Amino acid sequence: MRKLILATVVVLALALTMVGLASANGGPHGGYTATTDACAGCHRAHTAIGPRLLVRSSTYDLCISCHGSAGAGANTNVEDGYYLSSRDDPPGGADGNVGAANTPDNAPLLGGGFQYYQGITVTSSHDPTGTVLAAWGNAVDRGTTADLSEGLSCASCHDPHGSPNYRIIKATVNGVAVSVDQVDEGAAKDYDTEQWGAGMSNICAACHVAYHETGADVGHDTTNQAYGGGFTHRVDMPWNGDALTDPLIGMGTNNPETVGFGGYTLPLAESGTADRVVCMTCHLPHGTSAQMTGFADPAFDPSGPQGPIPAGDSSLLRLDNRGVCEVCHQK
Amino acid sequence: MSNIDAGNQVSEHDLSLIEEEERAEKRRRWLLLLLLLLLALLACVLLLFIRYLRQPEPLPEMIPLPVDVNYPPHYLFSIYGVDKPVGVAYSLRNDRIYVAETGGKRLVKIFDRDGNPLGSFAPPRTMPGERSPVYLAVDGAGRVFVTDRLQHAIFVYDENGTFLDTILGPDLTLSEYVLKHVNNLRPDATFAYNQFEHVVYYKSPGEPERTLPTPEPAMWAPLGIRFDRTGRLLFTDVRQERNAVYLISADAFSPSSWRNFDPPVISFGSTGQGDGQFLFPNSAVADSQGRIYVTDGNNGRISVWDEKGQFLFHFGGGSGEGALSLPRGAAIDERDRLYVVDAVGQNVKVYDVSGPEPDFLFAFGDWGMGDGQFNYPNDIALDRYGRLYIADRENNRIQVWSY
């Protein structure tokens, strides 16, 4: 009997925790009750226009009704890559506010922007309008594309009904289970500091699986031979791993997140004693305005293995040219 | 006798000839007149045809019609040449339409009421990715007030789009800030502000441009903006900590007040879902009795307040006839009919608020891309001729409806 009561308490506690997490992002994305009117914000039972009873055939158009540059229904403006917020708190959250209330005006969003990023037109972005049906390295060789199960949209990666994952990232993306912990950074908890755990690469790997190289043999493909082999940068590794001792790699000893190089830093995933390099350390998933010139411009070698990539395309990189290399390797 | 008879016969013959000539002459005159009339008619038709070719829009109504009916308006035509419009306003002073775009170059565009473009403008010294004009209001002098979500400010322009000043907070304007820091600033000095640069620019004619550090940022995030019929400015504030509505008295906007801007302000509301609370209020309009109607966007309802800022009640939530999904822009006409744009309902819902209880009258529009169909509408403006202008965001147009 005691075990039954204990099990019931545990189940109830877990359920309540899940509800709290699911509604953490507020608005229409969770916290539903039996008599909620939130459904009608996006769905119609008998007069829907799009699939899944949506009031609109384009998920992106629906989402930017609130999350667009007008900021008419949310502070997370994904078109410009800003958290709009207000001018309430001093930097560092000295008044004790956390979360949205501790985010300064126009803080750059951690995912970047779809139209602009930091005021400049994006040079590459994911296209969430539902027309993209293929992804690089989606269970095929790197450098090639394969079909996604559906056209790419906001709802490919985010669950509009709430999720226990960080930033309502879906629990299953493209048929692949994804787990991304939100790391509570105490007083610094806000919208402009990375708060994801080491599982952050899982969201990218759900589609770009052939690039998810985690093997210890740095830069050498040991796990993804099924996708054509070759070499790719390792991810999900400690920032201060074996690269520190290899003079050829020339890794500096400065933490790229806290010290960086030349005034630039890169975010790492929170992972106990050694923070990790993940896909988002170098890439912005929504879009970036990084400028590509010279060798870094795809136009330099249009016949390269990457195929026909537009001139100036920045491949979602956070920094101009190959700045993301230098912040760690400091050549 | 026979000669006389013969003479008489000639004379009668001549007379008949003369009469016949006179009749023929009369017929010719009539024909000429008819021809002239036909030519004049043809000229009119040609002139109208040439006018149509030059301005291919429906001809304006000749007589302003009093809107005294309770049935839905009908679709007239659309104004194109706008990119993702979210805000629209009408100027009573000059019958102009002002439109705020969130796509393309993110300009405010000016049209006449028949859709002919007259110009465009944007905050000085800003790039498209640094500005986001959303809602607009036009005062009795024709000045255009534009809320900018990225700049966290209200920009003020004259009727032609010439920049006048920026309201940086409920008690601070840009000109006031510059004057406080610069001695002997000439009255014709110009200034500019960009939230993303850490300086304020000012320049007197004939002198080089100079800069000041930016002022301490105000704790606000202005979004919806309207003038009521007494000239008070109503705007909504969607800052995270406190969603609220602000009322600023009409005399705050006289030219002499710009440089000493400290008007009495009434504010009400807070962030939340309860009575007297808002989640992203998008618009606040006042009826003839002074009651204020706030479109409480993410709560899906209209919140009603008295003129002193005391909460009265809310309506339009839940389900059923007249229920709102995502209310955004609103307008109210002289008969106290409240027009609310429902962004995901894809229509405009109209309520009679002249009595003690709001009465849902009708909705017009549905989803689509055809005439009279909406694709995420966001705002509405009314003119004095019974026309309605609706910002149809994803269809990239302003729809014009009429009674």
Side-chain angles (χ1 to χ4, degrees):
Chain A
M1 187 63 185
R2 190 176 293 169
K3 283 182 180 173
L4 183 64
I5 294 170
L6 187 63
T8 309
V9 168
V10 169
V11 168
L12 278 173
L14 279 173
L16 287 171
T17 307
M18 295 297 281
V19 167
L21 288 168
S23 61
N25 289 277
H29 301 308
Y32 308 119
T33 65
T35 55
T36 185
D37 65 348
C39 310
C42 305
H43 300 282
R44 292 290 181 277
H46 307 294
T47 56
I49 291 153
R52 294 183 176 80
L53 301 179
L54 282 171
V55 295
R56 176 71 176 103
S57 56
S58 162
T59 309
Y60 182 70
D61 291 350
L62 177 61
C63 297
I64 64 163
S65 287
C66 290
H67 295 281
S69 64
N75 277 312
T76 39
N77 167 3
V78 299
E79 286 189 302
D80 300 311
Y82 284 120
Y83 188 83
L84 299 167
S85 188
S86 63
R87 298 165 173 169
D88 199 11
D89 283 20
D95 61 3
N97 284 339
V98 296
N102 189 38
T103 308
D105 269 7
N106 296 345
L109 280 181
L110 304 180
F114 289 109
Q115 278 192 14
Y116 297 95
Y117 184 61
Q118 299 190 325
I120 302 168
T121 304
V122 295
T123 47
S124 62
S125 71
H126 271 114
D127 180 352
T129 56
T131 56
V132 172
L133 296 168
W136 293 101
N138 178 33
V140 293
D141 296 352
R142 288 192 287 271
T144 59
T145 62
D147 289 350
L148 299 171
S149 56
E150 293 182 46
L152 186 68
S153 74
C154 309
S156 299
C157 301
H158 299 282
D159 189 337
H161 301 118
S163 161
N165 276 337
Y166 171 80
R167 293 286 187 272
I168 59 170
I169 288 170
K170 289 170 71 174
T172 303
V173 177
N174 199 33
V176 179
V178 169
S179 175
V180 183
D181 297 332
Q182 172 152 340
V183 180
D184 186 347
E185 298 191 352
K189 186 177 179 183
D190 50 34
Y191 271 77
D192 61 339
T193 305
E194 287 72 17
Q195 293 172 301
W196 16 266
M200 194 62 196
S201 295
N202 295 336
I203 180 82
C204 310
C207 294
H208 305 285
V209 58
Y211 294 86
H212 196 211
E213 171 57 65
T214 60
D217 191 2
V218 178
H220 184 268
D221 187 340
T222 56
T223 60
N224 284 329
Q225 291 292 342
Y227 304 128
F231 298 85
T232 187
H233 197 290
R234 185 185 173 200
V235 289
D236 296 351
M237 61 187 180
W239 74 269
N240 54 357
D242 50 5
L244 282 178
T245 59
D246 186 338
L248 287 176
I249 296 172
M251 180 74 187
T253 56
N254 290 331
N255 185 322
E257 185 173 52
T258 56
V259 181
F261 178 62
Y264 295 99
T265 58
L266 291 174
L268 299 169
E270 182 76 20
S271 183
T273 54
D275 290 349
R276 307 253 165 176
V277 176
V278 291
C279 303
M280 277 185 61
T281 296
C282 299
H283 299 279
L284 287 165
H286 289 176
T288 174
S289 56
Q291 303 296 307
M292 299 295 133
T293 56
F295 296 124
D297 187 344
F300 177 75
D301 185 12
S303 61
Q306 293 170 314
I309 296 177
D313 187 283
S314 54
S315 300
L316 301 179
L317 287 168
R318 286 179 178 271
L319 302 178
D320 289 351
N321 295 323
R322 291 299 180 261
V324 293
C325 305
E326 280 301 282
V327 171
C328 288
H329 296 281
Q330 302 182 12
K331 284 296 193 182
Chain B
M1 198 54 197
S2 61
N3 285 340
I4 293 170
D5 288 344
N8 284 341
Q9 282 173 356
V10 169
S11 176
E12 282 175 5
H13 178 68
D14 288 345
L15 279 173
S16 67
L17 279 174
I18 290 166
E19 282 174 2
E20 197 170 316
E21 277 178 16
E22 281 177 352
R23 280 198 296 273
E25 181 63 24
K26 200 177 278 183
R27 275 200 301 273
R28 277 198 297 275
R29 280 183 192 158
W30 275 111
L31 283 171
L32 188 62
L33 189 62
L34 191 63
L35 187 64
L36 286 172
L37 281 171
L38 284 171
L39 283 171
L41 191 63
L42 185 64
C44 286
V45 170
L46 278 172
L47 281 172
L48 283 171
F49 183 64
I50 290 167
R51 184 190 184 286
Y52 175 78
L53 288 179
R54 289 167 62 89
Q55 294 180 314
E57 80 281 356
L59 298 176
E61 294 144 344
M62 302 306 287
I63 304 168
L65 295 171
V67 181
D68 200 21
V69 290
N70 273 342
Y71 52 76
H74 60 273
Y75 172 83
L76 270 188
F77 65 99
S78 287
I79 301 171
Y80 288 91
V82 289
D83 199 335
K84 311 288 183 199
V86 291
V88 60
Y90 164 74
S91 174
L92 195 63
R93 181 182 169 87
N94 50 28
D95 286 342
R96 287 178 174 182
I97 309 301
Y98 296 88
V99 180
E101 300 178 312
T102 53
K105 293 183 178 178
R106 297 184 176 176
L107 302 170
V108 174
K109 289 185 173 166
I110 316 171
F111 298 89
D112 68 19
R113 64 187 291 272
D114 294 320
N116 298 300
L118 302 174
S120 63
F121 54 90
R125 300 192 75 106
T126 60
M127 302 294 287
E130 298 172 328
R131 60 191 182 229
S132 181
V134 184
Y135 289 108
L136 322 93
V138 184
D139 70 5
R143 294 179 300 191
V144 187
F145 292 61
V146 186
T147 57
D148 194 300
R149 196 72 168 90
L150 283 179
Q151 291 287 333
H152 293 255
I154 300 172
F155 290 89
V156 188
Y157 308 85
D158 74 9
E159 62 184 357
N160 296 316
T162 303
F163 171 74
L164 296 176
D165 211 332
T166 307
I167 304 175
L168 299 170
D171 58 356
L172 181 67
T173 64
L174 183 60
S175 58
E176 178 185 30
Y177 174 76
V178 174
L179 264 180
K180 280 180 180 171
H181 291 83
V182 180
N183 294 326
N184 305 319
L185 187 70
R186 287 174 51 170
D188 54 354
T190 57
F191 29 81
Y193 164 85
N194 180 349
Q195 204 263 344
F196 294 94
E197 298 181 21
H198 300 294
V199 292
V200 168
Y201 301 91
Y202 67 96
K203 184 179 186 306
S204 292
E207 295 181 14
E209 186 175 67
R210 294 187 168 87
T211 61
L212 284 170
T214 47
E216 187 69 25
M219 290 168 52
W220 78 338
L223 182 66
I225 189 167
R226 291 284 191 268
F227 283 97
D228 70 8
R229 58 194 77 190
T230 66
R232 288 188 308 176
L233 181 71
L234 292 78
F235 69 86
T236 66
D237 186 346
V238 294
R239 68 187 157 107
Q240 185 75 33
E241 293 74 18
R242 187 188 170 209
N243 283 202
V245 172
Y246 284 73
L247 278 74
I248 297 181
S249 60
D251 54 7
F253 304 107
S254 66
S256 59
S257 300
W258 285 115
R259 301 190 173 192
N260 188 20
F261 193 74
D262 191 16
V265 173
I266 296 173
S267 73
F268 54 83
S270 60
T271 307
Q273 296 172 289
D275 288 350
Q277 293 188 309
F278 306 118
L279 284 179
F280 282 87
N282 266 245
S283 191
V285 293
D287 68 11
S288 61
Q289 303 166 64
R291 287 193 299 195
I292 298 158
Y293 301 82
V294 184
T295 56
D296 188 6
N298 291 9
N299 281 328
R301 65 191 183 191
I302 306 296
S303 184
V304 189
W305 303 69
D306 73 12
E307 59 188 338
K308 293 177 182 170
Q310 294 297 311
F311 173 74
L312 298 175
F313 58 90
H314 48 73
F315 69 94
S319 58
E321 196 181 56
L324 292 153
S325 294
L326 191 61
R328 290 280 169 84
I332 201 158
D333 69 12
E334 292 193 349
R335 293 182 57 217
D336 281 345
R337 288 183 304 185
L338 178 67
Y339 298 76
V340 181
V341 177
D342 191 340
V344 299
Q346 311 287 359
N347 60 17
V348 178
K349 294 186 171 75
V350 186
Y351 308 83
D352 182 350
V353 294
S354 59
E357 297 287 331
D359 182 20
F360 174 67
L361 295 175
F362 53 79
F364 61 90
D366 60 1
W367 180 83
M369 285 164 267
D371 290 350
Q373 293 184 309
F374 298 116
N375 199 356
Y376 286 97
N378 202 74
D379 198 14
I380 184 168
L382 313 177
D383 75 8
R384 57 179 155 183
Y385 304 101
R387 281 188 179 181
L388 305 87
Y389 304 85
I390 298 131
D392 188 9
R393 190 190 85 207
E394 289 300 321
N395 280 332
N396 296 310
R397 64 189 179 186
I398 301 297
Q399 287 198 32
V400 185
W401 291 59
S402 179
Y403 281 102

